[in-house]
Amino acid sequence: MGLDRHETARHSAAEGAVAIGQTDQLASGRKLRFAAFALIMFLVIPILLGRSPYFITVLTNGAVLSFISMGVWITFSIGRMNLAQGAFALVGGYAAAILSTRYGISFWLCLPVSGLVSAALGAIIGWPVLRLKGVYFAMTTLSLTEAIRLLALNGGDITKGATGIVNIPRPGPISIFGITILRFDGANPLPYYFLACTLLVLGILGVWRLSASRLGWVFRSLRQNEDLATSIGINVAKYRVMAFAICCFMGGIGGAFFAAFHQNIYPATYTIADSVNFMLYCFLGGLAYIFGPAVGAFLLVISFELLHAVQDYQTLIYGLLMIACMLWLPNGILSLGRIHFRQRKNLVS
Amino acid sequence: MTLAILEVQGITKRFGGLTAVNDVSFVVEKEAILSVIGPNGAGKSTLFKLISSFLPPTFGQVSYEGHRITGLSPHEVARRGVVRTFQETSIFKEMTALQNVVVAHHLRCRASSFGLYFSSATARADEERFRKSATEILVYLGLGPVKNALARNLPHGHLRALGIAVAMAAEPKVLLLDEPFAGMNIEETEAAVKLVRGVRERGVTVILVEHDMSAVMRISDRIVVLNFGIKIAEGTPAEIQKNEAVIEAYLGRADDELGH
Amino acid sequence: MYFEFKNVSVHYDKVQALQNVTLNLEQGEIVALIGANGAGKTSTLRAITALAKLSSGEIWFGGKRIDRLEPAAVVALGVSMVPEGRHVYPFMSVKDNLLMGAYLRRDKNDVKRDLDRVFMRFPRVRERLKQQAGSLSGGEQQMVVISRALMAKPKLLLLDEPSLGLAPMVVRDIARAIVEINRDEGISIILVEQNSRMALKISHRGYALETGRIALTGKSTDLLNDDHIRKLYLGA
Amino acid sequence: MLVNGVVLAVNYALIALGITLIFSIMNILNFAHGQMFMIGGFVVYYLYGIFRINYFVSLIAVVIVLGTIGWCFETFFFRRIRKIATREENSMLLAVGTALLLENLALSIFGEKQRGVPPVVTGVFRIGNAYLPAGRLLVMILALALVIGLLLLVQYTKWGRAMRALAQDREVTHLMGVNVDRVAAYGFGLGAALAGLAGGLLVTVFGVNSGVGNVYSIKAFIMIMIGGAGVVPGAILGAIVLGFVEAIGYQLLPGSITYLLIFIALIVFLIFRPQGLLGKPWG
């Protein structure tokens, strides 16, 4: 382990040179890799699997779950273990559902608004709660997931209680110059898939940018030593609320997407188990990597779809996997490919 | 007295029933080096936290350049120019020495959060400036050769210096050093003393807490002695060494018989 | 040889803390280890009590090889360590602190007798018996920690920086207590100190460590007059 | 209503003391605490409810089963994590993993149905205007006896002293000659057993189903956040507060609203007192 830690450390030093904006040799390598990833997502997969609605749906799920988990990853970068992401996905989902069913607002407006609603709520709750650290923060956020579920359950006419909100309208078609490019109907999940990929790609780009900018470094400094950060004049409270709000924003967007995708939302759509899963994806992929949450989410989502037989035991296997991951692969799957993926590394424990 | 930069006025801190700092007052003159001494648990660290606003006092206040800074949040106090270091080695362990100091330039950022995120021209220019200034600070403190080493791998002496470098990056007017010479041998202490003097040469007022009496006596312009949270003496090193109350409570009489 | 370090090396991660250190101690001796922070003094003590694993070398105590034992087993052989920084159990009464020192001992009457002996040596500890140890002053805590170590009935006592952060006058009390413990009870002592002058004054022999190696060794009285030592550690 | 409050409070105290024990000794937040409670309930359901074994014998079985689970968790999982982990989150996630594991095992083995057991004792006592079923009185007395027994054990035995010592300073406790690994494993086992016992007691009142785990984990968290984490009096105080608030709330409001209000109150409370009522400030 000692050896392992030193390796990680050295690479992060290399990373720093990029992040503080120097010769972009490493960065261009990353860009190339990222372009390849986007190409696969947008072209290769639809061509290969476009005819199988089933696989496309699975991948759509994977993409949006990755997106939501990336928010959790950001809260990890300020040194907080966030078990409330399910709650904020629920908030986003309900915001979208209420806005579209009650007020007939278009999905395309609902999507960002739901994200903002989640972010605003996250900022309000985060302000006091983020003063807690470690297990205290984890406990509180876990309770928060349950609290928001209860809120949805007792929301009366607004949330429709346990029956949830159903018949959420589908997104309107996207057209350019009068030509409809994507039509969101029930028959073909491909448009949803494209939307999900767009979210994911934007999410990765956004987090990447964040990570390399001074904001990313400020977040990292909070993770490593909040008192020291304060002493050099960093407004710790502001930045940790900012990080948490970004996280909730991503949760809200993801929740809104799924609400429109499934056309329904219930209080039980996101429970504690979901909050835990979002975190598991991050850990499984590797907290030190921007691609970590995506790798973790796709890996688990796809493998479960492939292994129909064991689906009943999903949580059992997740539990075992989590234990195994912590015991034998505490730095995540991507740490295995350290040499190849070294450039992607952005955050080190 | 006209040159006072920092004034501690009747400051008191109670934790439950325990009074850690009791009605302590003193004045720090501009570009002076003032040491606070006293046994462990005498309230020195608490006093530091009170001055840097990491803790709110029960009574009393601290003024800096004539303005009350008590009650401000600690990062705000740092912004005004009162910057503290920490006991032991408090740095960002997972960053290189250079990154530590670059991040510590935060107060001088002119770009907004959005600018930072989208890497606006201002933000880029800032980072360029910070890297230059950080390199300069590191070289000045003798850390030039290790600037790209990861902080956690640096040896003890370097970490101390890096802690000071991080604080210097925040452009302090008043620097609070918490035990800067702890764990150093005579030779290392000598180098560190020079370093602190150099910091003062740059126009920074230094307040330090220290146990190493010989270093304190050499470096300080004035000394404040605390015992059980109460200021028992204040004066120049020569005065303190002769002060009856200090000898009684802290220094003790000249060497008693020890050994075999 | 009563206690012996043979070519001991210790690594933390990849950093070498001790490099081929060889040192020894006769029964009844006080041996001082001096040196700057990071020189390996604390690592030496941690190696003895098995809190740090050796990467090579052997440690012998009272005719037994102890470097492969668990910490508890080393303690059971009669090695007691007072770690740096006065680690009392802050939320326990002073009495419970002392009784923790006697954790491995079964004979209750014997423990009681030793409690009384400790009280004779440190009357202040008896006065504070019911108080939470965390509420004591620095000097009192140091007395509690040393008393706690004595409660284990050690043959070899390891003291890590007992003077750290104490007022100079309290340092003298502690130094006197160390001399007395060694003289009255015949306990051998390894004393690690930043306060080199005090350490060399009360010890029989000394070792100066520099970056994980022994730089110099000899009788303490000789070391006190050695030019190198004076320049580096005594500031004369 | 108040009687219910007392019954809940003493049982919650068992839960809170168990999680506090594990938390303070090993600095591990036992996310699986509620699941351990639930398993305790099922052990009693099967042994006493189905196989008709004496209730008290069943409770002893609970101690053995849960104690073993706790001991195994510490010995096989957490001990290793402590040695290799680079960050605090690792042990937290491991704890979450154990919770999922137990939850799903219970679901697979016991099914989803709500289970109840026949009353251990029958009859009703009348205290003033309130009626107290003998079953609840029994549960209350047993829980109270266990709480007091535990406190005595921790305060006055050598082993209890070693556990307290371990909670305060791990390394120094090594130096006292304590076999730290063994004490930690027993401590974890004891904490788990307390959760199980609370489950075994409350099953006679509320029954049990395999979904209650997270609910009770959250209750445990709320209690230690109210009282202050890692502090024994804090755990008891938290249990009393939650027990009474719950009993009163359930009387006046639907259950889920009660809890919603509790959560809101908790967050507001944390704004003003993040260290809990009796806790030390969290560093």
Side-chain angles (χ1 to χ4, degrees):
Chain A
M1 275 325 288
L3 187 139
D4 190 63
R5 246 182 288 166
H6 274 267
E7 287 287 304
T8 328
R10 246 203 348 264
H11 296 146
S12 104
E15 179 70 26
V18 180
I20 301 188
Q22 276 322 283
T23 48
D24 282 46
Q25 209 171 7
L26 288 172
S28 72
R30 295 159 129 209
K31 279 178 189 153
L32 217 69
R33 238 181 290 272
F34 180 74
F37 167 76
L39 200 72
I40 293 173
M41 291 299 285
F42 278 109
L43 273 174
V44 179
I45 288 179
I47 291 170
L48 289 178
L49 298 170
R51 288 165 185 252
S52 158
Y54 172 71
F55 279 116
I56 290 297
T57 306
V58 170
L59 290 174
T60 307
N61 281 333
V64 180
L65 291 176
S66 309
F67 182 82
I68 299 176
S69 312
M70 262 186 290
V72 180
W73 187 89
I74 290 173
T75 40
F76 271 121
S77 80
I78 61 162
R80 295 290 194 284
M81 187 160 119
N82 178 2
L83 283 165
Q85 189 68 331
F88 290 99
L90 199 66
V91 169
Y94 268 102
I98 292 165
L99 288 173
S100 58
T101 54
R102 290 206 153 208
Y103 305 103
I105 294 171
S106 147
F107 169 79
W108 300 109
L109 189 57
C110 285
L111 190 67
V113 170
S114 327
L116 292 175
V117 169
S118 276
L121 187 67
I124 293 166
I125 297 176
W127 177 72
V129 166
L130 280 160
R131 294 199 294 175
L132 308 177
K133 289 180 188 169
V135 290
Y136 307 101
F137 184 76
M139 279 192 284
T140 313
T141 47
L142 187 80
S143 308
L144 198 59
T145 305
E146 186 66 7
I148 298 284
R149 188 183 71 80
L150 291 176
L151 189 67
L153 196 62
N154 292 296
D157 200 35
I158 304 171
T159 60
K160 303 250 187 316
T163 47
I165 298 176
V166 291
N167 295 325
I168 297 168
R170 294 180 183 282
I174 296 180
S175 15
I176 298 175
F177 307 124
I179 305 160
T180 302
I181 302 186
L182 292 176
R183 185 185 299 284
F184 294 84
D185 54 28
N188 189 354
L190 210 53
Y192 286 101
Y193 170 77
F194 282 122
L195 179 57
C197 287
T198 312
L199 279 182
L200 178 61
V201 165
L202 288 179
I204 290 177
L205 279 177
V207 174
W208 188 356
R209 181 69 249 154
L210 180 80
S211 211
S213 76
R214 171 162 278 271
L215 285 182
W217 286 92
V218 169
F219 288 177
R220 241 158 287 172
S221 75
L222 299 191
R223 176 191 169 89
Q224 292 172 32
N225 196 331
E226 281 192 7
D227 276 348
L228 182 61
T230 307
S231 82
I232 54 175
I234 291 176
N235 187 343
V236 170
K238 171 179 139 188
Y239 286 105
R240 64 191 179 201
V241 168
M242 188 189 284
F244 192 63
I246 296 172
C247 159
C248 298
F249 178 77
M250 298 180 86
I253 297 263
F257 175 91
F258 278 125
F261 185 42
H262 298 132
Q263 294 190 280
N264 58 43
I265 185 146
Y266 308 96
T269 306
Y270 302 97
T271 59
I272 288 174
D274 295 282
S275 283
V276 170
N277 288 348
F278 295 136
M279 192 182 63
L280 172 61
Y281 299 146
C282 294
F283 261 93
L284 190 67
L287 284 183
Y289 315 86
I290 291 173
F291 273 81
V295 168
F298 274 110
L299 193 82
L300 284 188
V301 171
I302 294 173
S303 47
F304 268 100
E305 292 303 334
L306 294 178
L307 302 167
H308 270 297
V310 297
Q311 268 178 14
D312 286 346
Y313 298 96
Q314 180 171 344
T315 38
L316 179 67
I317 292 172
Y318 272 25
L320 286 172
L321 201 67
M322 229 186 264
I323 294 169
C325 173
M326 284 307 103
L327 289 179
W328 291 291
L329 210 61
N331 291 322
I333 289 173
L334 288 177
S335 66
L336 290 174
R338 184 175 294 124
I339 294 139
H340 295 96
F341 290 92
R342 118 172 24 163
Q343 289 93 337
R344 286 187 190 165
K345 195 163 299 205
N346 236 340
L347 185 109
V348 168
S349 67
Chain B
M1 279 302 143
T2 47
L3 289 171
I5 187 166
L6 194 98
E7 212 172 325
V8 177
Q9 296 157 331
I11 210 156
T12 298
K13 179 71 190 177
R14 296 212 180 103
F15 298 104
L18 182 86
T19 307
V21 173
N22 197 352
D23 195 21
V24 170
S25 303
F26 59 89
V27 170
V28 190
E29 282 170 36
K30 203 160 190 242
E31 291 178 37
I33 297 180
L34 179 130
S35 298
V36 180
I37 63 172
N40 256 7
K44 302 185 305 290
S45 297
T46 310
L47 182 66
F48 256 44
K49 287 183 192 158
L50 292 170
I51 295 176
S52 56
S53 233
F54 272 69
L55 274 179
T58 316
F59 301 113
Q61 64 164 4
V62 181
S63 314
Y64 165 69
E65 290 185 330
H67 300 284
R68 180 189 161 101
I69 53 170
T70 302
L72 297 178
S73 55
H75 72 266
E76 197 55 47
V77 169
R79 187 175 294 261
R80 306 260 173 119
V82 180
V83 176
R84 69 175 287 201
T85 64
F86 295 81
Q87 249 171 38
E88 290 307 309
T89 46
S90 194
I91 35 121
F92 303 120
K93 287 208 169 101
E94 309 297 340
M95 300 183 189
T96 66
L98 183 67
Q99 286 162 359
N100 263 281
V101 184
V102 170
V103 169
H105 279 73
H106 194 75
L107 281 176
R108 297 192 230 168
C109 265
R110 285 170 311 187
S112 66
S113 290
F114 277 102
L116 292 181
Y117 183 76
F118 292 107
S119 188
S120 65
T122 328
R124 278 202 306 276
D126 274 353
E127 293 302 323
E128 190 56 44
R129 259 185 328 120
F130 296 164
R131 205 168 27 255
K132 278 216 186 85
S133 140
T135 313
E136 195 252 333
I137 294 175
L138 287 172
V139 170
Y140 178 75
L141 297 179
L143 294 169
V146 293
K147 69 174 186 179
N148 288 323
L150 206 66
R152 69 140 94 234
N153 295 339
L154 289 176
H156 188 80
H158 282 162
L159 289 181
R160 278 282 154 76
L162 183 56
I164 296 177
V166 168
M168 288 298 287
E171 289 196 317
K173 300 270 176 34
V174 176
L175 185 60
L176 306 169
L177 297 174
D178 206 347
E179 302 202 6
F181 312 129
M184 292 181 170
N185 66 23
I186 300 280
E187 216 169 30
E188 291 164 335
T189 306
E190 202 45 56
V193 163
K194 281 206 186 89
L195 204 143
V196 173
R197 285 201 180 117
V199 168
R200 188 251 300 264
E201 299 301 307
R202 294 177 140 211
V204 179
T205 308
V206 179
I207 305 178
L208 53 90
V209 159
E210 188 48 62
H211 280 300
D212 183 336
M213 281 310 121
S214 74
V216 166
M217 294 302 166
R218 262 177 297 153
I219 200 174
S220 316
D221 297 316
R222 287 187 83 72
I223 296 174
V224 167
V225 189
L226 293 187
N227 196 31
F228 293 110
I230 299 166
K231 184 174 96 171
I232 58 169
E234 180 183 347
T236 62
E239 288 163 8
I240 292 298
Q241 275 168 317
K242 279 182 279 180
N243 185 306
E244 277 301 314
V246 178
I247 293 171
E248 195 64 40
Y250 185 57
L251 295 176
R253 304 275 157 200
D255 268 313
D256 303 343
E257 203 44 50
L258 272 183
H260 305 275
Chain C
M1 203 49 64
Y2 188 57
F3 173 85
E4 204 168 9
F5 243 53
K6 288 184 187 162
N7 292 317
V8 170
S9 296
V10 169
H11 292 79
Y12 297 123
D13 287 349
K14 277 181 184 167
V15 186
Q16 185 151 28
L18 289 183
Q19 213 173 337
N20 278 330
V21 170
T22 297
L23 54 82
N24 58 53
L25 167 139
E26 298 283 4
Q27 194 156 10
E29 249 187 334
I30 301 181
V31 166
L33 301 185
I34 60 173
N37 223 329
K41 306 187 303 288
T42 298
S43 299
T44 306
L45 299 192
R46 292 175 59 87
I48 300 171
T49 46
L51 292 175
K53 293 269 168 280
L54 307 199
S55 33
S56 65
E58 296 173 8
I59 305 176
W60 290 77
F61 172 62
K64 286 202 185 71
R65 188 169 170 187
I66 61 168
D67 54 86
R68 290 192 187 144
L69 301 178
E70 289 293 310
V74 177
V75 176
L77 282 176
V79 180
S80 220
M81 174 163 158
V82 175
E84 182 187 327
R86 299 191 288 285
H87 285 269
V88 291
Y89 294 113
F91 305 112
M92 276 190 186
S93 68
V94 169
K95 184 168 188 196
D96 278 356
N97 264 278
L98 297 181
L99 289 177
M100 273 312 292
Y103 182 79
L104 289 176
R105 296 171 59 182
R106 306 229 174 267
D107 183 347
K108 284 204 173 141
N109 291 325
D110 207 23
V111 169
K112 204 160 244 158
R113 259 196 304 282
D114 276 3
L115 264 180
D116 288 335
R117 276 157 72 118
V118 162
F119 293 153
M120 296 252 279
R121 186 168 305 290
F122 299 113
R124 290 287 278 283
V125 171
R126 192 212 301 262
E127 287 165 30
R128 305 276 184 227
L129 209 53
K130 293 264 156 58
Q131 277 188 33
Q132 286 215 330
S135 69
L136 269 48
S137 76
E140 289 169 341
Q141 289 191 10
Q142 191 65 53
M143 290 175 197
V144 169
V145 175
I146 293 176
S147 309
R148 187 177 65 190
L150 291 177
M151 288 304 295
K153 231 182 186 175
K155 300 191 184 88
L156 174 62
L157 184 62
L158 314 175
L159 297 170
D160 196 355
E161 307 262 6
S163 79
L164 191 79
L166 295 179
M169 55 185 296
V170 181
V171 171
R172 277 192 279 277
D173 290 344
I174 296 290
R176 200 172 298 117
I178 294 171
V179 172
E180 286 171 9
I181 288 166
N182 170 260
R183 193 184 54 211
D184 303 347
E185 328 226 345
I187 296 173
S188 315
I189 293 173
I190 299 181
L191 172 65
V192 158
E193 259 302 335
Q194 284 282 336
N195 187 340
S196 317
R197 189 185 297 275
M198 180 272 264
L200 290 177
K201 269 189 179 162
I202 65 170
S203 59
H204 301 97
R205 286 189 303 123
Y207 290 85
L209 284 163
E210 274 166 33
T211 58
R213 296 170 206 250
I214 305 262
L216 209 62
T217 172
K219 280 193 157 164
S220 298
T221 43
D222 297 343
L223 290 178
L224 271 170
N225 294 318
D226 183 278
D227 282 344
H228 182 71
I229 296 283
R230 291 178 82 92
K231 181 169 167 293
L232 271 181
Y233 304 109
L234 303 176
Chain D
M1 191 164 80
L2 289 179
V3 169
N4 274 344
V6 176
V7 174
L8 283 179
V10 282
N11 279 283
Y12 285 180
L14 274 186
I15 300 175
L17 284 174
I19 202 164
T20 299
L21 191 69
I22 295 174
F23 182 76
S24 57
I25 294 181
M26 274 150 297
N27 208 10
I28 289 165
L29 184 64
N30 185 18
F31 279 89
H33 213 65
Q35 278 76 14
M36 291 171 170
F37 171 94
M38 176 252 297
I39 290 175
F42 272 110
V43 169
V44 167
Y45 166 73
Y46 278 101
L47 293 185
Y48 170 71
I50 306 279
F51 299 118
R52 297 278 159 205
I53 293 168
N54 178 291
Y55 181 65
F56 297 96
V57 176
S58 309
L59 285 183
I60 291 168
V62 168
V63 173
I64 294 168
V65 171
L66 271 304
T68 311
I69 292 177
W71 185 87
C72 288
F73 277 6
E74 161 61 20
T75 308
F76 299 119
F77 298 156
F78 290 102
R79 185 173 300 169
R80 181 178 155 83
I81 279 287
R82 250 199 314 281
K83 291 194 173 122
I84 66 165
T86 50
R87 42 171 107 78
E88 187 189 16
E89 289 94 337
N90 289 33
S91 67
M92 272 194 260
L93 200 73
L94 182 63
V96 175
T98 58
L100 286 189
L101 180 73
L102 288 186
E103 170 122 4
N104 210 268
L105 276 178
L107 200 63
S108 320
I109 299 170
F110 307 132
E112 285 180 54
K113 264 208 251 160
Q114 170 76 20
R115 312 282 192 177
V117 297
V120 182
V121 285
T122 49
V124 173
F125 293 94
R126 194 176 151 182
I127 307 164
N129 288 328
Y131 290 93
L132 176 63
R136 294 197 176 201
L137 185 68
L138 177 74
V139 164
M140 191 177 92
I141 291 170
L142 282 177
L144 198 61
L146 284 166
V147 168
I148 292 169
L150 177 76
L151 293 181
L152 292 177
L153 174 84
V154 170
Q155 196 59 39
Y156 294 109
T157 66
K158 188 173 182 176
W159 188 58
R161 197 156 51 223
M163 285 201 293
R164 279 186 291 144
L166 183 55
Q168 290 173 38
D169 199 320
R170 192 173 194 89
E171 185 156 304
V172 170
T173 306
H174 268 297
L175 292 172
M176 299 295 117
V178 176
N179 185 336
V180 167
D181 282 346
R182 192 190 299 159
V183 172
Y186 288 162
F188 208 122
L190 180 62
L194 290 173
L197 281 171
L201 292 173
L202 282 186
V203 70
T204 61
V205 180
F206 301 125
V208 64
N209 69 66
S210 47
V212 299
N214 281 331
V215 176
Y216 278 91
S217 288
I218 288 179
K219 285 183 184 184
F221 298 164
I222 293 174
M223 289 183 273
I224 60 177
M225 281 192 281
I226 294 174
V231 206
V232 168
I236 294 171
L237 185 64
I240 293 170
V241 171
L242 187 72
F244 278 96
V245 168
E246 212 177 88
I248 294 166
Y250 280 167
Q251 199 83 15
L252 307 172
L253 299 162
S256 59
I257 293 191
T258 304
Y259 255 85
L260 184 58
L261 293 178
I262 290 176
F263 283 130
I264 293 170
L266 181 70
I267 288 173
V268 174
F269 170 73
L270 287 175
I271 296 176
F272 297 104
R273 210 158 164 86
Q275 74 275 32
L277 290 173
L278 298 179
K280 297 164 287 293
W282 300 341

